[in-house]
Structures are given as C-alpha cells and as structure tokens.
Amino acid sequence: HMKRVKDKLLYEKKVGEEQEERRKQREAKKYAKQVQAEKLKERAQAKNKQISSLKEWRKQRANSNYEGDGGDFSPQDFDFSGKKKQEGKQPAGQRIFGGRNKSKKREARDKKFGFGGRKKIQKQNDAKSSADDSGWTQGRYGGKFAGSAMAKTKKKKAASKKNRPGKARREQMRS
C-alpha cells in the first residue's frame, strides 16, 4: 500500500514539474515576442530617421541653389547623423585584421597557400601543365610509381617470373 502511495506522490510531483516547465516556456516565448517587436520598432525608427535626414540634406542642397550631379558630396557620403564619412577605402587585409600586423605563422601560411579566394580554377590543368613532362620518366613502372613500394613489388614479380618456367615446361621437366 505504501508503495502505491509513494508512486502516486512521485507521479503528481512529476506532473507538477512538467506543468511548471510548460508555463516557463510560454512566458519565455511571450518575452521573446516582445523583444522581437521592440527590435522591429527600433529598426523602423532608424529607417525613418535616415529618410528624414536625407530629405533634409536635399532641402539644404536645393536652398543653396546647387545645380550639379552631386560633385564632391552625395547621400552615400553621409552616415545620416550629419557627419561626413572617412575618405578612401582600406585594403582588404587591413579591413579584416583591423590594421594590425600579421603573425609570422600567418605570413608563412599566406605565402604557402595564398591569401583567401577561390583556388579551384588554379588547380585545373591547362595547356602548359599538360605539356610539362618534367615529373615523368619513361619505362616500365617509371614516372609516378618510380620509387614506390608498388613499383618494387612489381619489379620483384617480373624478376621472379623470369626464373620460373611456364606450366607446360614444368610438366615436361616432371615427365
């Protein structure tokens, strides 16, 4: 009897924990929805602010009777906070590494493998590489397999075949 009571209490406790977990998940979901809504509002406000500052910039330009193609100034030059952007672009390596110097290890790897980018096309054969015979020696088991274990075993087999007569000759020798 006590075992059944204990099992029932454990079951009720388990059910209560599951309900509590579900309730927490619902609350977390509601909170996440609120956070997302706030983010969307902030983005919309930032967008409206940029549009209004652009309109303001155009009005100022029109008021100063400026007739031209944009000249030195264009809407892209402004970060919409009224400040002009920095002139000139940084090289790709400096943008990625933040202007700090590369380590010796990184320099060695860049020298060995190249810096980024797609390598697939460089690895393809072209007319020059196909016509290049520098790594190839003619003859049996030359070229690719010249010093390999495979070539050595094949040479050994070829040498042993010379010593062993064929089946017909062996039968002749027996009789």
Side-chain angles (χ1 to χ4, degrees):
H1 176 73
M2 291 305 286
K3 188 179 179 193
R4 278 190 288 171
V5 172
K6 186 179 177 184
D7 288 344
K8 190 172 182 181
L9 285 172
L10 287 173
Y11 175 74
E12 287 175 1
K13 186 178 178 185
K14 183 179 160 189
V15 169
E17 287 173 357
E18 288 175 354
Q19 287 175 343
E20 184 70 23
E21 186 66 32
R22 284 197 293 268
R23 187 182 61 78
K24 283 181 181 176
Q25 284 180 344
R26 278 196 302 270
E27 287 176 4
K29 194 174 179 183
K30 283 181 185 176
Y31 180 72
K33 259 188 176 178
Q34 282 180 334
V35 168
Q36 188 65 22
E38 286 175 23
K39 271 188 188 177
L40 290 173
K41 276 185 186 176
E42 286 175 14
R43 283 185 194 158
Q45 286 175 348
K47 185 178 178 184
N48 289 336
K49 190 176 179 183
Q50 285 182 345
I51 290 170
S52 64
S53 64
L54 182 64
K55 284 179 182 175
E56 199 174 302
W57 176 79
R58 284 184 178 150
K59 278 182 188 175
Q60 287 175 354
R61 198 169 144 219
N63 289 342
S64 63
N65 294 327
Y66 182 76
E67 296 292 325
D69 60 348
D72 293 339
F73 301 101
S74 68
Q76 288 81 19
D77 291 338
F78 290 89
D79 63 355
F80 300 108
S81 61
K83 297 174 187 169
K84 198 164 181 337
K85 284 186 179 176
Q86 282 184 328
E87 292 291 322
K89 289 188 174 181
Q90 294 175 318
Q94 281 185 355
R95 259 199 324 268
I96 292 167
F97 294 109
R100 60 182 183 257
N101 294 334
K102 292 182 185 180
S103 66
K104 297 281 184 195
K105 188 176 178 184
R106 177 79 267 153
E107 284 178 6
R109 285 188 179 172
D110 283 350
K111 186 177 178 186
K112 184 175 182 183
F113 302 113
F115 178 75
R118 210 171 145 214
K119 305 288 188 292
K120 207 169 195 178
I121 293 170
Q122 293 174 358
K123 291 183 179 181
Q124 288 179 349
N125 286 339
D126 56 2
K128 189 177 178 184
S129 69
S130 297
D132 184 22
D133 290 340
S134 61
W136 182 260
T137 56
Q138 214 129 9
R140 194 164 187 185
Y141 313 122
K144 211 185 217 182
F145 304 111
S148 69
M150 192 164 98
K152 289 174 186 168
T153 56
K154 284 188 177 184
K155 284 180 183 177
K156 207 181 273 185
K157 276 186 180 178
S160 67
K161 276 187 180 177
K162 288 178 189 171
N163 298 340
R164 187 176 187 208
K167 187 175 180 182
R169 191 156 290 164
R170 288 197 314 269
E171 283 179 355
Q172 266 183 357
M173 288 176 5
R174 254 190 258 150
S175 59

